[in-house]
Amino acid sequence: MADLEPVIEPGAAAEPEERPLLNADLDFVRSLPQSLRSTFEGMPAKVLLREGEIIYRFLEQGFSGPAEGFWLPAETYHRLRKESLLDGIPLPDWAVTQSTTLPRKPHPTLFLQATLLEHVFAFRGPIKLPAGPPHLRLLIPGLTADRIVVRTFNL
């Protein structure tokens, strides 16, 4: 009797392909441009953000940029919101993700709360500022909309 190979029907469900962890092989010094590296004070830590973790962004009205880039970890976001709401301190320019890179004062009107749908690696560290306490930010290169669930709120 001849060995028969299994027949796969066209359109039959195949095993889903597992995606590699985003940024697992990314090296901060060798892979990222100087313009991104220079925003950090020293070398940021490469951290694993787990599925279900929440990250934040303050945005201008009509933001049309990508999901990748800078995000705020929960502790930074909550501190800035408290300072803004309770202490009347305006949101700092560095905390606002702008649609354009034109040199102007950003006007945040929204904030995003994004829940990660899968584990991703990010670079986490304090950013360079002339004065004040360190402000932690996350840099997540390659983050796409299909890896997060976003909720948008007005400020």
Side-chain angles (χ1 to χ4, degrees), residues 9 31 55 60-61 72 87 98 142 144 151:
E9 302 274 331
S31 304
I55 54 179
E60 296 182 305
Q61 187 66 40
L72 300 172
D87 304 332
Q98 296 177 260
T144 53
R151 294 179 64 200

Side-chain angles (χ1 to χ4, degrees), residues 25-130:
D25 296 330
L26 196 64
D27 179 87
F28 182 75
V29 174
R30 286 181 271 198
S31 304
L32 297 176
Q34 177 62 28
S35 60
L36 290 176
R37 294 192 320 259
S38 66
T39 62
F40 287 98
E41 186 70 48
M43 177 70 79
K46 187 172 185 179
V47 296
L48 177 64
L49 303 178
R50 299 192 180 281
E51 176 184 337
E53 190 161 343
I54 298 173
I55 54 179
Y56 301 87
R57 265 187 177 171
F58 292 106
L59 300 175
E60 296 182 305
Q61 187 66 40
F63 176 79
S64 61
E68 75 174 345
F70 286 101
W71 288 83
L72 300 172
E75 63 268 25
T76 302
Y77 164 78
H78 290 299
R79 189 182 77 246
L80 293 173
R81 282 290 281 165
K82 178 205 158 290
E83 289 173 356
S84 177
L85 293 171
L86 300 180
D87 304 332
I89 299 171
L91 292 170
D93 294 353
W94 62 262
V96 181
T97 304
Q98 296 177 260
S99 295
T100 129
T101 56
L102 296 176
R104 60 178 174 73
K105 177 120 177 100
H107 300 286
T109 58
L110 308 167
F111 71 91
L112 293 186
Q113 177 183 338
T115 304
L116 295 171
L117 294 174
E118 57 191 69
H119 297 354
V120 300
F121 279 98
F123 297 101
R124 182 179 192 258
I127 61 168
K128 288 182 183 175
L129 291 175

